[in-house]
Amino acid sequence: MTQLYGHDEAWRQWRAALGSARMHHAWLLVGPKGQGKGLFARAAAAELVAEPGVSQPPLAMHPDVLIPEHPPENKEEAKKREDGGDYRRKRSIPIDEIRLVQHRLTTRPTLGSRRAVILDPADDLEKAAANALLKSLEEPPIGTFFLLVTHRPGRLLATIRSRCRMLRFAPLSDTNVDQVLCRDAPQADAAARAAAVAAAKGSPGAALGFVEQKLGKLHALMLQLVSHGDEHFALRGAFAEELGARPDRERQLAAIDLACSVVSAGLGHNRHRDAVAIAAHGELVKLAGQLPTYNFDPGLVAMEIGALLASLAMPREAA
């Protein structure tokens, strides 16, 4: 299993509960996207289901670790999966996936006395799926424990949140983020790693996206937009060109995540600028949520990101 860096306090709380007589049946893993909460959930689940003297299969094949997935987008993508190829997934986790898990919960765990259910992320549950999950949280089968990964806990039903013990994940140290990059992106040189670490603000997932998507030039342009504005649209044009005429969804989302990090780093200068930054951050988050659903023109997306960044230097553009 992939080595995890940091999160010592989360591990302390989890292992203390694991060794106690009464462990809570549902856990909410809360923190910004890209901090390793999903990896933590899987490593924690492996500890949970382990039994002394019983050989444990790999987690992906473990009968007592259930992870509802994002199914293929349509029949064509489902056929690609059947053929063993890459396929596009739905943005949400439908109720059918939760019902499959609930059917498994009617039987006893296979290899031991405990079973883990991981929702990663629980933010993606469809409304009907969330309501179905709530029933299992209200009456959990004996020996079943739920780990719900969430980047935005406010999107979850209050009744779901109230039945979970919260485990918060703080940003990792720059040293830990660099360790992740050295392990998972060995092709990146020291300069690229340093830029990625600085831009990621404690998120190894963001740092990996920075390196894999080659966002160094985009980051430099973002910093210029925030510092100097873009009265004549030259920087926005350069930004759109660097992003690409036909960037894929992953590159666009990585650029938006990076823009959010740049905007957040600008907070604290003065009250008026902070208000503009908060508004810009909200619009970037909204754009990230809409991007997978709507067929936006990539050039217009780039110009919108650029305008939101420039608004920090030119408050009149925010209006």
Side-chain angles (χ1 to χ4, degrees), residues 155-173:
R155 295 189 60 181
L156 297 178
L157 295 174
T159 43
I160 286 181
R161 297 198 305 268
S162 68
R163 284 164 174 78
C164 298
R165 174 173 170 178
M166 190 173 294
L167 202 56
R168 292 192 177 276
F169 288 74
L172 269 64
S173 68

Side-chain angles (χ1 to χ4, degrees), residues 71-146:
E73 277 188 348
N74 49 45
K75 292 182 179 179
E76 181 180 344
E77 298 302 316
K79 181 65 167 58
K80 292 179 183 177
R81 180 175 68 172
E82 292 173 3
D83 294 339
D86 294 332
Y87 62 95
R88 293 175 66 91
R89 298 173 181 266
K90 287 184 177 180
R91 292 182 59 232
S92 57
I93 300 174
I95 189 173
D96 289 347
E97 289 293 317
I98 301 302
R99 284 175 174 162
L100 284 173
V101 168
Q102 289 173 326
H103 179 71
R104 293 279 298 278
L105 298 185
T106 60
T107 63
R108 292 180 178 275
T110 303
L111 298 181
S113 59
R114 290 172 168 173
R115 174 189 283 129
V117 179
I118 300 173
L119 277 299
D120 183 18
D123 308 1
D124 291 352
L125 287 167
E126 291 180 356
K127 184 177 181 180
N131 286 323
L133 174 66
L134 179 59
K135 294 180 180 179
S136 294
L137 294 178
E138 290 173 336
E139 300 179 7
I142 295 175
T144 295
F145 298 85
F146 297 84

Side-chain angles (χ1 to χ4, degrees), residues 157-282:
L157 295 174
T159 43
I160 286 181
R161 297 198 305 268
S162 68
R163 284 164 174 78
C164 298
R165 174 173 170 178
M166 190 173 294
L167 202 56
R168 292 192 177 276
F169 288 74
L172 269 64
S173 68
D174 287 353
T175 299
N176 285 155
V177 174
D178 190 58
Q179 286 176 314
V180 173
L181 288 176
C182 289
R183 181 193 66 201
D184 295 343
Q187 76 282 3
D189 59 26
R193 293 203 318 273
V197 169
K201 304 300 180 186
S203 168
L208 285 168
F210 185 101
V211 169
E212 292 168 357
Q213 292 290 346
K214 299 180 180 179
L215 298 180
K217 291 182 179 179
L218 280 179
H219 186 235
L221 288 167
M222 289 180 184
L223 294 178
Q224 291 183 59
L225 284 161
V226 168
S227 299
H228 307 300
D230 191 26
E231 186 173 0
H232 302 294
F233 291 85
L235 286 174
R236 272 170 277 193
F239 183 85
E241 183 177 353
E242 179 61 29
L243 187 61
R246 300 185 66 181
D248 58 24
R249 182 190 299 174
E250 287 71 24
R251 181 166 175 79
Q252 288 179 301
L253 289 173
I256 294 174
D257 284 345
L258 181 58
C260 286
S261 175
V262 169
V263 170
S264 298
L267 290 171
H269 289 76
N270 61 63
R271 184 176 299 178
H272 176 73
R273 196 173 189 273
D274 285 356
V276 175
I278 290 169
H281 190 279

